[in-house]
Amino acid sequence: NRTNFSLIARQEAVHPMKSLSDFKSRLQPEFGRRVFGLFHPLLPNQPLVVLYASLQPSMPASMEEISTQTFTTPNKSSGL
């Protein structure tokens, strides 16, 4: 939900987010991007772990390649 997204965005330490729209730009299913959260039943609004994944048909050469979307869109037949 929106509360969880806001909390994740505020606590991001490696690649800080400037706004909620910055967070949304990282969630682009059409480019194979996913965000997974691990929650505990006693802390339903506090993710224990957040994992960002970019599912690609091949290994990108750099983080810049992922963040600037210069890679190709995953092929549906590849299972990604």
Side-chain angles (χ1 to χ4, degrees), residues 7-8 24 43 65:
L7 181 66
I8 292 168
K24 288 178 183 178
L43 299 168
E65 187 175 342

Side-chain angles (χ1 to χ4, degrees), residues 10-79:
R10 282 195 313 272
Q11 293 183 347
E12 176 59 57
V14 178
H15 300 284
M17 296 179 211
K18 298 178 178 92
S19 65
L20 194 55
S21 64
D22 188 19
F23 183 76
K24 288 178 183 178
S25 73
R26 298 179 192 200
L27 297 173
Q28 297 178 344
E30 65 273 16
F31 291 111
R33 293 180 179 188
R34 306 288 191 277
V35 177
F36 300 95
L38 174 65
F39 294 85
H40 189 279
L42 296 177
L43 299 168
N45 296 317
Q46 178 75 32
L48 302 176
V49 175
V50 177
L51 172 71
Y52 297 90
S54 180
L55 308 174
Q56 301 303 312
S58 62
M59 182 65 74
S62 68
M63 279 299 297
E64 183 179 356
E65 187 175 342
I66 294 171
S67 64
T68 59
Q69 304 172 7
T70 57
F71 50 86
T72 59
T73 303
N75 184 338
K76 296 279 184 194
S77 65
S78 69

